[in-house]
Amino acid sequence: MNTLDFTPFYRSFIGFDHLANLMDAAARNEKQPAYPPYNIEVTGEDQYRITMAIAGFDENELSIETEHNTLLVRGQKADKTEGRRFLHQGIAERNFERKFQLSDYIKVTGAQMSHGLLHIELVREVPEALKPRKIAINQPSAISHQS
């Protein structure tokens, strides 16, 4: 695996060290399993949707939590194999935990299940104080030119 050296950026970018730390953490982070498969799509300006294929799970077997810019989706399957004998078991009914690192100001606005898919809606809500604003340039008054 290649490692990235962010040292040149530290010389000219101020206040972006948290971004480099995120990249380092992602590179060091243990590999997440491929189950369950998911999509991340852009649904509009500052709107996103995560869709996870979770066939066989009920709503009460799932939990969705956010903490410190991390979205955590867990599936905890109740053990229903007692007394059952399988000749072949190809349907995955295993527990899972999937983490997603969220950018600042990304909020989860809702979740819904349909046809074995879990849809999680997200939106970026930038505070008004951080949005770009236009600065008016005032004409100098006649008083300031008199000396």
Side-chain angles (χ1 to χ4, degrees), residues 45-46 105 124-136:
E45 186 176 336
D46 294 328
Y105 314 116
R124 180 188 329 266
E125 295 178 349
V126 178
E128 204 59 42
L130 297 177
K131 290 182 179 177
R133 59 188 176 101
K134 192 96 167 161
I135 309 298

Side-chain angles (χ1 to χ4, degrees), residues 86-123:
F86 293 96
L87 295 177
H88 172 74
Q89 186 176 7
I91 299 173
E93 290 187 343
R94 60 184 180 260
N95 300 334
F96 69 88
E97 182 176 289
R98 170 76 59 186
K99 292 181 181 180
F100 298 93
Q101 192 68 37
L102 303 178
S103 175
D104 290 339
Y105 314 116
I106 296 287
K107 305 287 184 232
V108 176
T109 59
Q112 62 192 28
M113 283 184 56
S114 65
H115 306 291
L117 298 174
L118 173 65
H119 302 282
I120 304 170
E121 304 294 330
L122 305 115
V123 66

Side-chain angles (χ1 to χ4, degrees), residues 20-60:
N21 292 339
L22 281 174
M23 298 285 285
D24 286 340
R28 285 192 310 267
N29 196 6
E30 70 278 354
K31 297 289 182 196
Q32 291 197 47
Y35 179 79
Y38 64 92
N39 293 335
I40 302 174
E41 60 184 301
V42 177
T43 58
E45 186 176 336
D46 294 328
Q47 296 177 336
Y48 307 91
R49 177 182 300 130
I50 298 172
T51 302
M52 300 178 74
I54 53 162
F57 280 86
D58 290 328
E59 288 180 26
N60 61 348

